[in-house]
Amino acid sequence: IPATYEVRSGLLVLWGRLSGTSGAGSWVATLPPDFRPLQEIVVMYVDGATLRDFIIGAAGTRTAYGTGAAVVADMRLSTVPPFAIK
């Protein structure tokens, strides 16, 4: 999963692409302690005709949810708005 993050004016900005995750509730990655959100963030997006969600937990875990065999076929991380970090 090629992804990059950077802090700008106290907000974490993500960019890159998430692709090829399968299975409902697939763990994607965990953000380092200094780059975790103050609270859980849920981002909804459409993959083809399917509504899916990407969750960044307060513990830094990034998980993708959806239906079907391929939970995430393609998601641009710029879909996630910049967020405050701990």
Side-chain angles (χ1 to χ4, degrees), residues 41-80:
I41 296 169
V42 178
V43 177
M44 304 298 290
Y45 65 100
V46 176
D47 174 17
T50 305
L51 182 64
R52 305 188 188 278
D53 55 281
F54 179 68
I55 299 174
I56 302 173
T61 56
R62 294 183 281 174
T63 311
Y65 289 89
T67 58
V71 172
V72 178
D74 185 20
M75 177 193 176
R76 288 174 175 79
L77 292 173
S78 60
T79 305
V80 179

Side-chain angles (χ1 to χ4, degrees), residues 7-46:
V7 176
R8 296 181 187 167
S9 301
L11 300 176
L12 190 72
V13 178
L14 300 174
W15 67 91
R17 182 175 237 155
L18 174 67
S19 62
T21 302
S22 63
S26 294
W27 173 83
V28 176
T30 302
L31 291 168
D34 292 340
F35 298 97
R36 295 177 179 174
L38 297 171
Q39 61 187 25
E40 182 177 88
I41 296 169
V42 178
V43 177
M44 304 298 290
Y45 65 100
V46 176

